[in-house]
Amino acid sequence: ANLIQLIRGITLDIKGLKPQKWWTYLPTTSPVWFRDTDANALNAIREQEELVIIVPCQENGELDYVKQDPFLSSFALREDGNQLHRNILSPVRAKGLEYKRVLLYKFGAEALKRGRHLVDRVQNPHVTDMPVDERLEFEYFMNQLYVGVSRARVRLFVVDTDEAIEKFWSGPFSDARKRVDLVTKYKNDE
């Protein structure tokens, strides 16, 4: 969550951001990434009914999102196909709530779908003039991502496409040196 705030701070030229303080002393671990082609991981997700799945859609768009996703629709819909029977939430619905275990589902693929400019700004945050529509889209997406990531109290899982893991989740999300460079950049720009 702090990394997402840092990327927002650099890209949107927001000064004075401070890292969030830990609100728990429970043992936690780093997020775990799974490819959406990993059959073992997908089978485990199917079986874990207590897992909260956060998807990159608008509020009240969860059912439509699940219907359009072959994996989620294979286990999360009631028999009539018009109701969910699993905890699948949009970031707006999840906001303000916390769960022991959260699965962030295909946010990287959504970023790629929305446009390369979104991925480029996450991979290489820097202050630039952005067209208003790009800025709003970036802010909204990063807010959704932040809410999704920050809902997990103990464990965060990420499932995404091969392309999204390579192009979106690489860089600062997986490289400690890049994270240190971003912190240094942010401090130097203040």
Side-chain angles (χ1 to χ4, degrees):
N2 283 326
L3 177 58
I4 294 164
Q5 288 294 75
L6 179 62
I7 293 169
R8 285 181 70 242
I10 292 170
T11 304
L12 302 172
D13 199 23
I14 301 169
K15 305 293 184 206
L17 291 177
K18 302 285 183 220
Q20 283 188 326
K21 295 187 180 192
W22 288 93
W23 46 265
T24 181
Y25 293 102
L26 294 173
T28 61
T29 57
S30 296
V32 178
W33 282 267
F34 295 101
R35 298 181 185 282
D36 69 344
T37 55
D38 182 338
N40 291 330
L42 298 180
N43 285 333
I45 291 165
R46 254 189 208 98
E47 295 170 4
Q48 297 178 34
E49 293 187 16
E50 79 289 350
L51 188 65
V52 173
I53 302 171
I54 301 179
V55 296
C57 68
Q58 303 288 332
E59 184 176 19
N60 298 321
E62 297 91 347
L63 181 60
D64 288 337
Y65 187 93
V66 169
K67 284 180 176 181
Q68 294 174 21
D69 186 271
F71 170 65
L72 293 177
S73 64
S74 73
F75 70 91
L77 292 172
R78 293 202 184 279
E79 285 186 28
D80 67 4
N82 291 318
Q83 288 183 318
L84 298 174
H85 73 92
R86 291 288 294 269
N87 289 326
I88 299 179
L89 307 171
S90 68
V92 172
R93 280 199 189 271
K95 191 171 182 175
L97 303 172
E98 296 170 344
Y99 304 96
K100 187 174 180 182
R101 296 164 13 104
V102 169
L103 170 68
L104 203 63
Y105 189 78
K106 292 190 178 178
F107 274 74
E110 181 65 23
L112 290 167
K113 187 169 93 177
R114 290 186 187 186
R116 186 69 201 175
H117 65 278
L118 240 173
V119 176
D120 290 342
R121 292 189 192 288
V122 169
Q123 289 299 313
N124 185 24
H126 58 283
V127 178
T128 59
D129 289 331
M130 282 189 247
V132 172
D133 57 336
E134 275 188 30
R135 181 183 173 94
L136 289 173
E137 183 177 29
F138 178 79
E139 283 186 77
Y140 183 74
F141 180 80
M142 293 304 284
N143 288 345
Q144 282 190 311
L145 183 60
Y146 176 82
V147 168
V149 166
S150 62
R151 299 305 92 196
R153 289 187 314 189
V154 176
R155 192 69 174 187
L156 177 66
F157 303 96
V158 177
V159 168
D160 227 315
T161 63
D162 289 337
E163 182 183 21
I165 289 171
E166 177 188 324
K167 294 180 179 173
F168 182 80
W169 294 108
S170 64
F173 290 108
S174 61
D175 186 333
R177 287 175 301 174
K178 289 186 180 183
R179 288 191 296 271
V180 170
D181 291 346
L182 288 178
V183 171
T184 303
K185 178 181 180 64
Y186 184 78
K187 286 180 178 180
N188 290 339
D189 288 347
E190 278 195 316

